[in-house]
Amino acid sequence: MLLAGLISDSQNRDSNGILALDQLPGIGNLFARKPRSSARTDLIIFIQPQIIRNGANAQHVAEDLRAKMGGIFGRPVACCKK
């Protein structure tokens, strides 16, 4: 089930060149550099509903989620008091 999504586009158009020579009509491009770059980022958030029937099932679901999050962030996530 899709919850939300964000799209970000960015473009970078710089112009570098030798002062005054890059402004000359016709030959200005010989003395100028115009690098262009673009980047796109897509963020999609999904949810997965789960039915939790009892406390033992809730603990199992929480442990699975902690294990998955530890793999994403590179370290285990601190949890609840027992």
Side-chain angles (χ1 to χ4, degrees):
M1 185 178 293
L2 175 65
L3 179 63
L6 298 171
I7 298 173
S8 172
D9 284 326
S10 64
Q11 295 182 358
N12 186 10
R13 295 181 184 166
D14 289 333
S15 179
N16 301 322
I18 299 173
L19 186 62
L21 292 179
D22 63 345
Q23 300 297 320
L24 293 174
I27 63 167
N29 288 334
L30 297 174
F31 301 101
R33 194 180 117 205
K34 298 179 181 179
R36 293 182 180 172
S37 64
S38 62
R40 178 180 173 130
T41 303
D42 299 321
L43 172 67
I44 301 173
I45 300 171
F46 290 97
I47 59 170
Q48 178 183 1
Q50 291 185 334
I51 298 172
I52 299 176
R53 300 186 192 285
N54 55 34
N57 186 233
Q59 185 176 3
H60 179 72
V61 170
E63 288 172 1
D64 286 346
L65 181 60
R66 275 187 229 108
K68 289 178 186 176
M69 296 300 280
I72 292 172
F73 297 112
R75 59 183 167 78
V77 177
C79 181
C80 320
K81 297 178 184 177
K82 289 187 179 183

